Amino acid sequence: MQVSNNKSANNSESNLLSKILFRYLPYWPLFLALMLICCGAAYFYLNHYRVPQYEARASILIKDENKGVDDSRALESFNILSTKKIVENETEVLQSRSLFDTVVHKLGLYTQIYEKDRFKTQLAYETSPIVVDVKKPNEINEVYDLPIAYNAASKQVILVDKPYPLNSWVQTPYGELKFISNQYQTTTHNDPLFLSLMHPKSVAGSLAGQVVVFPSNKLSTVIHISLRDQSPKRSENILTELLNAYNQSSLEAKNVMAANTLAFIEGRLDTMAKELSKIEKNIQQY
Protein backbone atom coordinates (compact mmCIF):
# COMPACT_ATOMS: atom_id res chain seq x y z
CA MET A 1 0.00 0.00 0.00
CA GLN A 2 2.80 2.38 0.86
CA VAL A 3 4.67 1.66 -2.39
CA SER A 4 1.58 2.39 -4.48
CA ASN A 5 1.06 5.66 -2.64
CA ASN A 6 4.65 6.72 -3.38
CA LYS A 7 4.21 5.86 -7.07
CA SER A 8 1.00 7.87 -7.31
CA ALA A 9 2.69 10.86 -5.62
CA ASN A 10 5.61 10.68 -8.08
CA ASN A 11 3.22 10.43 -11.02
CA SER A 12 1.25 13.47 -9.85
CA GLU A 13 4.47 15.49 -9.45
CA SER A 14 5.68 14.55 -12.92
CA ASN A 15 2.29 15.40 -14.40
CA LEU A 16 2.33 18.79 -12.67
CA LEU A 17 5.83 19.49 -14.00
CA SER A 18 4.76 18.47 -17.50
CA LYS A 19 1.77 20.80 -17.35
CA ILE A 20 3.95 23.73 -16.23
CA LEU A 21 6.49 23.10 -18.98
CA PHE A 22 3.74 22.65 -21.59
CA ARG A 23 2.11 25.93 -20.56
CA TYR A 24 5.18 28.20 -20.18
CA LEU A 25 7.82 26.67 -22.49
CA PRO A 26 6.50 28.47 -25.60
CA TYR A 27 7.23 31.78 -23.84
CA TRP A 28 10.94 31.08 -23.26
CA PRO A 29 12.05 33.94 -25.58
CA LEU A 30 10.13 36.37 -23.38
CA PHE A 31 11.74 35.00 -20.21
CA LEU A 32 15.17 35.24 -21.82
CA ALA A 33 14.54 38.83 -22.90
CA LEU A 34 13.38 39.78 -19.39
CA MET A 35 16.49 38.19 -17.88
CA LEU A 36 18.76 40.08 -20.27
CA ILE A 37 16.96 43.35 -19.53
CA CYS A 38 17.32 42.82 -15.76
CA CYS A 39 21.02 41.98 -16.08
CA GLY A 40 21.57 45.03 -18.29
CA ALA A 41 19.71 47.30 -15.87
CA ALA A 42 21.75 45.98 -12.93
CA TYR A 43 25.00 46.51 -14.85
CA PHE A 44 23.97 50.04 -15.85
CA TYR A 45 23.00 50.89 -12.25
CA LEU A 46 26.25 49.56 -10.78
CA ASN A 47 28.42 51.39 -13.30
CA HIS A 48 26.55 54.67 -13.74
CA TYR A 49 24.24 55.35 -10.79
CA ARG A 50 25.70 53.59 -7.79
CA VAL A 51 28.41 55.46 -5.87
CA PRO A 52 30.84 53.07 -4.12
CA GLN A 53 31.14 53.24 -0.35
CA TYR A 54 34.31 52.50 1.62
CA GLU A 55 34.42 51.55 5.28
CA ALA A 56 37.10 52.70 7.72
CA ARG A 57 37.44 51.24 11.22
CA ALA A 58 39.27 52.17 14.39
CA SER A 59 39.42 50.74 17.90
CA ILE A 60 40.08 52.34 21.25
CA LEU A 61 40.88 50.73 24.59
CA ILE A 62 39.06 52.27 27.55
CA LYS A 63 41.17 52.03 30.68
CA ASP A 64 39.26 51.54 33.92
CA GLU A 65 41.21 53.72 36.33
CA ASN A 66 39.28 52.31 39.30
CA LYS A 67 41.20 49.08 38.83
CA GLY A 68 44.79 48.49 39.73
CA VAL A 69 47.27 47.22 37.22
CA ASP A 70 47.66 43.93 39.07
CA ASP A 71 43.96 43.14 39.53
CA SER A 72 43.24 39.45 39.10
CA ARG A 73 40.75 38.00 36.66
CA ALA A 74 38.51 37.00 39.54
CA LEU A 75 38.28 40.55 40.86
CA GLU A 76 37.55 41.88 37.37
CA SER A 77 34.65 39.44 37.00
CA PHE A 78 33.02 40.91 40.12
CA ASN A 79 33.25 44.41 38.61
CA ILE A 80 31.40 43.76 35.32
CA LEU A 81 28.68 46.36 35.92
CA SER A 82 31.23 49.07 36.70
CA THR A 83 33.23 48.29 33.57
CA LYS A 84 30.08 48.21 31.44
CA LYS A 85 29.05 51.60 32.80
CA ILE A 86 32.44 53.09 31.96
CA VAL A 87 32.32 51.72 28.40
CA GLU A 88 28.76 53.02 27.92
CA ASN A 89 29.79 56.46 29.17
CA GLU A 90 32.77 56.64 26.83
CA THR A 91 30.60 55.43 23.95
CA GLU A 92 28.26 58.36 24.57
CA VAL A 93 31.22 60.73 24.71
CA LEU A 94 32.50 59.46 21.35
CA GLN A 95 29.08 60.18 19.83
CA SER A 96 28.76 63.68 21.31
CA ARG A 97 28.09 66.62 19.02
CA SER A 98 30.95 68.66 20.50
CA LEU A 99 33.52 66.14 19.23
CA PHE A 100 31.99 66.09 15.75
CA ASP A 101 31.92 69.90 15.70
CA THR A 102 35.66 69.81 16.37
CA VAL A 103 36.21 67.26 13.58
CA VAL A 104 34.17 69.29 11.08
CA HIS A 105 36.10 72.50 11.82
CA LYS A 106 39.47 70.74 11.86
CA LEU A 107 38.96 69.09 8.45
CA GLY A 108 36.88 71.86 6.90
CA LEU A 109 34.03 69.48 6.09
CA TYR A 110 31.60 72.40 5.79
CA THR A 111 32.92 72.84 2.23
CA GLN A 112 32.59 69.91 -0.16
CA ILE A 113 33.50 69.60 -3.83
CA TYR A 114 31.70 67.04 -5.99
CA GLU A 115 31.99 65.56 -9.44
CA LYS A 116 28.66 65.48 -11.17
CA ASP A 117 27.50 63.93 -14.43
CA ARG A 118 24.06 63.13 -15.83
CA PHE A 119 23.57 60.10 -13.62
CA LYS A 120 25.38 60.50 -10.29
CA THR A 121 27.12 62.89 -7.92
CA GLN A 122 30.38 61.71 -6.37
CA LEU A 123 32.61 63.30 -3.76
CA ALA A 124 35.84 64.71 -5.27
CA TYR A 125 37.90 64.49 -2.06
CA GLU A 126 40.81 62.79 -3.86
CA THR A 127 40.23 64.05 -7.42
CA SER A 128 39.67 67.79 -7.01
CA PRO A 129 42.86 69.87 -7.53
CA ILE A 130 41.77 72.41 -4.92
CA VAL A 131 39.91 72.65 -1.62
CA VAL A 132 38.02 75.61 -0.19
CA ASP A 133 38.22 77.13 3.27
CA VAL A 134 35.83 79.65 4.85
CA LYS A 135 37.10 82.40 7.16
CA LYS A 136 33.94 82.46 9.28
CA PRO A 137 32.40 78.98 8.94
CA ASN A 138 29.77 79.56 11.63
CA GLU A 139 28.31 82.38 9.51
CA ILE A 140 27.94 80.31 6.33
CA ASN A 141 24.80 80.83 4.26
CA GLU A 142 24.28 77.39 2.78
CA VAL A 143 24.56 77.16 -1.01
CA TYR A 144 24.80 74.11 -3.25
CA ASP A 145 26.05 73.15 -6.69
CA LEU A 146 28.22 76.17 -7.45
CA PRO A 147 30.27 75.47 -10.62
CA ILE A 148 33.98 75.52 -9.80
CA ALA A 149 37.07 74.79 -11.91
CA TYR A 150 40.84 75.21 -11.69
CA ASN A 151 42.98 76.73 -14.44
CA ALA A 152 46.43 75.19 -14.01
CA ALA A 153 48.03 77.55 -16.52
CA SER A 154 47.04 80.76 -14.73
CA LYS A 155 46.79 79.08 -11.29
CA GLN A 156 43.34 80.54 -10.79
CA VAL A 157 40.10 79.12 -9.51
CA ILE A 158 36.97 79.85 -11.54
CA LEU A 159 33.96 80.02 -9.23
CA VAL A 160 30.67 80.73 -11.03
CA ASP A 161 32.53 82.27 -14.04
CA LYS A 162 34.68 84.57 -11.87
CA PRO A 163 38.46 83.99 -11.36
CA TYR A 164 40.12 83.99 -7.94
CA PRO A 165 43.78 83.47 -6.92
CA LEU A 166 45.13 80.61 -4.82
CA ASN A 167 46.24 80.82 -1.17
CA SER A 168 44.64 84.22 -0.47
CA TRP A 169 41.52 85.23 1.37
CA VAL A 170 39.12 86.70 -1.20
CA GLN A 171 35.69 88.23 -0.88
CA THR A 172 33.02 86.36 -2.84
CA PRO A 173 29.22 86.55 -2.96
CA TYR A 174 29.26 83.45 -0.71
CA GLY A 175 31.56 84.80 2.00
CA GLU A 176 35.29 85.23 2.49
CA LEU A 177 36.96 82.15 1.00
CA LYS A 178 40.44 80.78 0.44
CA PHE A 179 41.31 78.33 -2.34
CA ILE A 180 44.12 75.90 -1.50
CA SER A 181 45.81 73.07 -3.41
CA ASN A 182 44.39 69.69 -2.44
CA GLN A 183 47.07 67.66 -0.63
CA TYR A 184 44.99 64.47 -0.95
CA GLN A 185 44.59 64.53 -4.74
CA THR A 186 45.68 61.21 -6.22
CA THR A 187 43.82 61.19 -9.57
CA THR A 188 42.27 63.76 -11.88
CA HIS A 189 38.54 64.31 -12.11
CA ASN A 190 36.59 63.25 -15.20
CA ASP A 191 33.41 65.29 -14.73
CA PRO A 192 32.62 68.95 -13.94
CA LEU A 193 33.19 70.04 -10.34
CA PHE A 194 30.64 71.73 -8.08
CA LEU A 195 31.05 73.37 -4.66
CA SER A 196 28.63 73.20 -1.73
CA LEU A 197 28.89 75.31 1.43
CA MET A 198 27.09 73.93 4.48
CA HIS A 199 26.73 75.07 8.08
CA PRO A 200 29.13 73.19 10.40
CA LYS A 201 26.38 72.20 12.83
CA SER A 202 24.32 70.51 10.13
CA VAL A 203 27.41 68.67 8.86
CA ALA A 204 28.32 67.59 12.41
CA GLY A 205 24.80 66.26 13.00
CA SER A 206 24.84 64.31 9.75
CA LEU A 207 28.30 62.92 10.48
CA ALA A 208 27.29 61.85 13.99
CA GLY A 209 24.51 59.76 12.44
CA GLN A 210 26.93 58.05 10.04
CA VAL A 211 29.64 57.07 12.54
CA VAL A 212 28.87 53.78 14.33
CA VAL A 213 30.32 53.29 17.82
CA PHE A 214 29.91 49.93 19.58
CA PRO A 215 31.74 47.88 22.26
CA SER A 216 33.58 44.71 21.31
CA ASN A 217 31.47 42.64 23.72
CA LYS A 218 29.80 42.94 27.11
CA LEU A 219 32.92 42.10 29.10
CA SER A 220 35.44 44.05 27.00
CA THR A 221 36.63 47.63 27.38
CA VAL A 222 37.49 47.90 23.67
CA ILE A 223 35.26 50.20 21.61
CA HIS A 224 35.08 49.90 17.82
CA ILE A 225 34.33 52.88 15.57
CA SER A 226 33.36 52.55 11.91
CA LEU A 227 32.37 54.92 9.12
CA ARG A 228 31.20 54.30 5.54
CA ASP A 229 32.00 57.08 3.09
CA GLN A 230 32.53 57.69 -0.61
CA SER A 231 36.22 58.51 -0.05
CA PRO A 232 38.44 56.05 1.86
CA LYS A 233 40.91 58.82 2.69
CA ARG A 234 38.23 61.13 4.04
CA SER A 235 36.71 58.42 6.24
CA GLU A 236 40.20 57.64 7.57
CA ASN A 237 40.85 61.33 8.30
CA ILE A 238 37.50 61.70 10.05
CA LEU A 239 38.13 58.76 12.40
CA THR A 240 41.67 59.98 13.11
CA GLU A 241 40.46 63.47 14.03
CA LEU A 242 37.60 62.01 16.07
CA LEU A 243 40.06 60.03 18.20
CA ASN A 244 42.33 63.08 18.51
CA ALA A 245 39.38 65.19 19.67
CA TYR A 246 38.35 62.46 22.12
CA ASN A 247 41.86 62.23 23.59
CA GLN A 248 42.08 66.01 23.87
CA SER A 249 38.68 66.15 25.56
CA SER A 250 39.71 63.43 28.03
CA LEU A 251 42.96 65.26 28.77
CA GLU A 252 41.13 68.53 29.39
CA ALA A 253 38.64 66.79 31.68
CA LYS A 254 41.49 65.25 33.67
CA ASN A 255 43.24 68.61 33.92
CA VAL A 256 40.06 70.26 35.20
CA MET A 257 39.58 67.46 37.75
CA ALA A 258 43.20 67.74 38.88
CA ALA A 259 42.90 71.54 39.20
CA ASN A 260 39.70 71.22 41.24
CA THR A 261 41.28 68.57 43.46
CA LEU A 262 44.36 70.72 44.00
CA ALA A 263 42.23 73.76 44.82
CA PHE A 264 40.20 71.68 47.31
CA ILE A 265 43.36 70.36 49.01
CA GLU A 266 44.90 73.83 49.19
CA GLY A 267 41.68 75.18 50.71
CA ARG A 268 41.59 72.44 53.32
CA LEU A 269 45.26 72.97 54.15
CA ASP A 270 44.66 76.71 54.56
CA THR A 271 41.69 76.04 56.84
CA MET A 272 43.68 73.55 58.90
CA ALA A 273 46.60 76.00 59.18
CA LYS A 274 44.27 78.68 60.54
CA GLU A 275 42.74 76.23 63.01
CA LEU A 276 46.20 75.09 64.19
CA SER A 277 47.29 78.71 64.58
CA LYS A 278 44.19 79.41 66.65
CA ILE A 279 44.83 76.34 68.81
CA GLU A 280 48.46 77.38 69.29
CA LYS A 281 47.41 80.84 70.45
CA ASN A 282 44.93 79.33 72.91
CA ILE A 283 47.69 77.08 74.31
CA GLN A 284 50.03 80.04 74.70
CA GLN A 285 47.33 82.05 76.51
CA TYR A 286 46.65 79.07 78.76
Side-chain angles (χ1 to χ4, degrees):
M1 179 66 71
Q2 185 176 2
V3 174
S4 61
N5 288 337
N6 290 337
K7 286 183 178 180
S8 61
N10 292 333
N11 291 332
S12 62
E13 290 179 1
S14 62
N15 292 333
L16 178 61
L17 181 60
S18 300
K19 289 180 180 180
I20 293 175
L21 291 176
F22 180 76
R23 175 174 294 183
Y24 294 107
L25 190 59
Y27 301 101
W28 70 266
L30 179 61
F31 294 143
L32 180 61
L34 290 175
M35 185 179 297
L36 292 176
I37 291 173
C38 291
C39 292
Y43 178 82
F44 185 81
Y45 170 77
L46 293 175
N47 287 273
H48 295 280
Y49 276 98
R50 181 178 177 272
V51 178
Q53 297 285 325
Y54 303 90
E55 184 176 22
R57 289 191 174 189
S59 300
I60 183 171
L61 175 63
I62 305 300
K63 184 178 180 182
D64 186 355
E65 297 184 355
N66 295 325
K67 296 180 183 178
V69 178
D70 296 328
D71 282 352
S72 65
R73 297 285 182 181
L75 292 177
E76 289 183 5
S77 64
F78 288 111
N79 202 21
I80 292 175
L81 294 178
S82 175
T83 300
K84 182 179 179 181
K85 184 177 180 181
I86 291 172
V87 172
E88 289 177 349
N89 291 340
E90 297 306 312
T91 301
E92 292 296 327
V93 172
L94 282 166
Q95 293 177 309
S96 64
R97 285 288 296 272
S98 60
L99 291 188
F100 286 101
D101 284 336
T102 303
V103 173
V104 169
H105 282 85
K106 183 71 174 179
L107 296 178
L109 300 179
Y110 40 79
T111 65
Q112 295 183 7
I113 297 179
Y114 295 89
E115 288 185 64
K116 182 183 290 189
D117 59 15
R118 291 184 302 170
F119 304 109
K120 66 181 178 182
T121 299
Q122 188 168 357
L123 192 66
Y125 193 80
E126 299 172 59
T127 59
S128 171
I130 50 98
V131 293
V132 184
D133 195 10
V134 182
K135 195 165 190 178
K136 297 179 180 179
N138 291 324
E139 299 178 7
I140 286 178
N141 293 320
E142 294 190 344
V143 290
Y144 299 90
D145 297 337
L146 301 175
I148 188 171
Y150 176 65
N151 189 329
S154 61
K155 294 185 178 180
Q156 288 183 324
V157 175
I158 313 300
L159 180 61
V160 194
D161 299 327
K162 188 173 181 180
Y164 296 97
L166 285 178
N167 303 321
S168 299
W169 288 107
V170 293
Q171 191 65 42
T172 72
Y174 318 102
E176 197 167 357
L177 309 179
K178 180 190 285 188
F179 304 97
I180 309 167
S181 298
N182 184 10
Q183 61 175 324
Y184 300 117
Q185 184 187 16
T186 56
T187 58
T188 57
H189 61 92
N190 299 318
D191 300 306
L193 298 177
F194 294 86
L195 170 66
S196 294
L197 304 177
M198 296 162 288
H199 199 279
K201 289 190 178 298
S202 63
V203 179
S206 175
L207 188 61
Q210 295 175 18
V211 174
V212 180
V213 181
F214 57 96
S216 178
N217 55 64
K218 294 182 179 180
L219 304 180
S220 175
T221 59
V222 176
I223 295 178
H224 297 299
I225 312 168
S226 67
L227 170 64
R228 294 177 64 87
D229 193 72
Q230 296 180 18
S231 169
K233 186 61 179 178
R234 193 177 89 135
S235 58
E236 179 184 337
N237 290 343
I238 289 173
L239 292 188
T240 300
E241 288 302 330
L242 178 62
L243 293 181
N244 289 340
Y246 168 77
N247 291 332
Q248 183 64 30
S249 176
S250 299
L251 181 60
E252 291 175 356
K254 290 178 181 178
N255 289 339
V256 170
M257 184 179 296
N260 292 338
T261 303
L262 182 61
F264 173 77
I265 293 174
E266 289 179 348
R268 292 296 299 165
L269 289 176
D270 185 59
T271 301
M272 293 176 64
K274 291 179 180 179
E275 291 178 354
L276 289 175
S277 177
K278 185 177 180 181
I279 293 173
E280 185 179 358
K281 289 181 180 179
N282 291 337
I283 293 176
Q284 289 178 353
Q285 290 178 359
Y286 176 78

